[in-house]
């Protein structure tokens, strides 16, 4: 077997991971979570519209004038004046195209919300932070974390040949990994032992391997532990639809950014 043959399996695996990343980064777009804009007339009475927004539980409403959407209003700003006194016009900062990836949207929403969607040069939909609890966001987050786990397995394999990574785990954890491995073998799932590591196990190995911690941009063992606890909670939340994807948006975005950074470093 020549050297090219030896490298081919790993090359194909890396190519597959790259393809998966492209799917999540490019093909999940803002239209998956956007809502059609409900609007009022610029001549409407602000008090009546505010009552209607409270009844419908709307924080934002589009404003129409002359048959065109000219801006939007915010429920909490409405007083007893005319709607025209409260209109926010659309700007380049709060307009995105319908093809904008969800990953890019997360960064935009940190600085600007709500965000409005342009379809054929017409504003037709909006997205608020509340829309980030929807199923496509769960798919995105779960997919990113799964990609991270797959990349970490390959990284650990390269660093610890012949399952030497077991030296980083307690006897109890190794026994649990072997138990999962045996269960999967009984189901004809021909996975290697390393494929049965939990996310927390991978974090422990990274934490106990200074060269890997440094390679992934961590400055301390404490930071490694905190990161893996956070994304494990995030992964569990996305897997259970009754749970919120996140409680704190800034922390959520920080974790997504860190996952992207690590994927790029690997």
């Amino acid at each position: 077997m020549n050297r090219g043959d030896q490298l081919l399996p790993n090359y194909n695996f890396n190519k597959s991971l790259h393809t998966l990343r492209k799917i999540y980064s490019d093909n999940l777009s803002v239209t998956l979570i956007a809502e059609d804009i409900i609007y009022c007339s610029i001549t409407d009475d602000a008090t009546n519209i505010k009552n209607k927004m409270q009844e419908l539980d709307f924080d934002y409403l589009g404003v129409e004038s002359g048959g065109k959407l000219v801006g939007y209003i915010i429920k909490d700003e409405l007083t007893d004046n005319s709607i025209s006194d409260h209109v926010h016009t659309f700007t380049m900062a709060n307009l995105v195209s319908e093809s904008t990836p969800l990953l890019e949207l997360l960064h935009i929403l940190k600085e600007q919300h709500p965000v409005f969607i342009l379809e054929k040069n017409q504003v037709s939909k909006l997205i608020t932070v509340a829309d980030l609890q929807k199923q496509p966001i769960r798919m995105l987050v779960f997919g990113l974390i799964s990609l991270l786990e797959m990349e970490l397995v390959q990284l650990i394999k390269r660093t610890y040949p012949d399952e030497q990574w077991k030296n980083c785990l307690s006897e109890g954890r190794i026994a649990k990994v072997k138990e999962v491995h045996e269960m999967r073998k009984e189901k004809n799932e021909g996975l290697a032992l390393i494929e049965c590591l939990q996310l927390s196990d991978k974090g422990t190995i990274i934490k106990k391997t200074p060269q890997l911690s440094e390679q992934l941009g961590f400055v301390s063992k404490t930071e490694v532990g905190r990161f893996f606890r956070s994304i494990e909670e995030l992964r569990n939340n996305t897997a259970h639809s009754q749970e919120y994807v996140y409680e704190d948006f800034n922390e959520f975005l920080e974790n997504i950014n860190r996952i992207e950074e690590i994927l790029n470093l690997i």
Side-chain angles (χ1 to χ4, degrees):
M1 180 180 292
N2 62 38
R3 182 168 173 77
D5 291 333
Q6 290 176 323
L7 292 177
L8 186 59
N10 193 53
Y11 168 78
N12 286 336
F13 182 82
N14 290 336
K15 189 176 180 181
S16 297
L17 281 179
H18 178 72
T19 301
L20 283 172
R21 288 187 66 182
K22 290 286 288 181
I23 290 172
Y24 284 109
S25 62
D26 296 346
N27 293 352
L28 296 179
S29 70
V30 293
T31 55
L32 293 172
I33 64 171
E35 296 283 349
D36 291 335
I37 292 181
I38 307 299
Y39 56 88
C40 64
S41 170
I42 199 168
T43 59
D44 283 337
D45 177 75
T47 301
N48 290 339
I49 293 300
K50 184 173 185 177
N51 290 337
K52 191 66 175 178
M53 291 176 74
Q54 289 173 335
E55 178 184 331
L56 297 173
D57 196 25
F58 286 172
D59 292 320
Y60 307 97
L61 209 63
V63 177
E64 175 270 340
S65 179
K68 293 174 57 179
L69 279 177
V70 296
Y72 65 99
I73 53 175
I74 302 173
K75 179 182 65 180
D76 292 340
E77 294 180 355
L78 297 182
T79 62
D80 55 0
N81 296 327
S82 169
I83 287 293
S84 61
D85 295 323
H86 302 284
V87 178
H88 293 263
T89 56
F90 300 121
T91 67
M92 292 300 295
N94 59 27
L95 291 174
V96 299
S97 74
E98 58 188 313
S99 61
T100 301
L102 284 178
L103 266 176
E104 185 178 334
L105 173 72
L106 295 180
H107 301 290
I108 295 171
L109 282 173
K110 183 179 181 182
E111 306 297 333
Q112 175 70 50
H113 62 85
V115 169
F116 299 90
I117 313 301
L118 273 176
E119 293 181 322
K120 299 179 181 178
N121 294 323
Q122 296 290 328
V123 177
S124 60
K125 300 177 185 294
L126 83 160
I127 298 174
T128 69
V129 171
D131 293 313
L132 298 184
Q133 301 290 347
K134 292 180 177 178
Q135 194 63 36
I137 294 294
R138 295 178 183 275
M139 293 170 57
L140 173 66
V141 174
F142 195 86
L144 284 175
I145 295 176
S146 297
L147 283 171
L148 176 64
E149 290 205 70
M150 294 165 70
E151 291 277 20
L152 289 177
V153 164
Q154 297 306 306
L155 185 63
I156 293 169
K157 277 184 179 179
R158 294 194 295 269
T159 306
Y160 289 109
D162 303 321
E163 297 185 346
Q164 294 175 19
W165 50 265
K166 289 190 286 188
N167 295 325
C168 298
L169 302 178
S170 68
E171 291 184 5
R173 283 309 309 157
I174 294 172
K176 187 63 178 177
V177 172
K178 288 181 177 179
E179 179 184 333
V180 173
H181 188 234
E182 289 300 319
M183 289 173 57
R184 291 184 173 181
K185 284 202 305 185
E186 290 176 4
K187 296 179 180 179
N188 292 322
E189 297 178 7
L191 297 176
L193 185 64
I194 195 171
E195 304 282 354
C196 299
L197 291 172
Q198 295 294 310
L199 182 57
S200 58
D201 295 326
K202 299 181 182 87
T204 298
I205 294 170
I206 300 299
K207 183 166 61 175
K208 292 187 176 181
T209 311
Q211 70 188 78
L212 291 183
S213 295
E214 183 178 352
Q215 180 179 342
L216 300 182
F218 294 108
V219 297
S220 68
K221 291 182 178 181
T222 300
E223 185 184 356
V224 176
R226 182 168 59 245
F227 170 73
F228 277 92
R229 285 192 299 273
S230 293
I231 63 170
E232 186 169 30
E233 180 181 359
L234 184 58
R235 194 265 320 270
N236 292 342
N237 287 347
T238 59
H240 298 90
S241 59
Q242 72 271 22
E243 301 285 348
Y244 283 115
V245 176
Y246 62 87
E247 294 289 346
D248 183 292
F249 176 68
N250 288 327
E251 181 183 353
F252 167 71
L253 186 58
E254 181 181 334
N255 284 328
I256 296 299
N257 285 340
R258 194 70 183 89
I259 291 171
E260 288 187 90
E261 288 173 2
I262 291 174
L263 287 172
N264 289 331
L265 286 170
I266 294 176

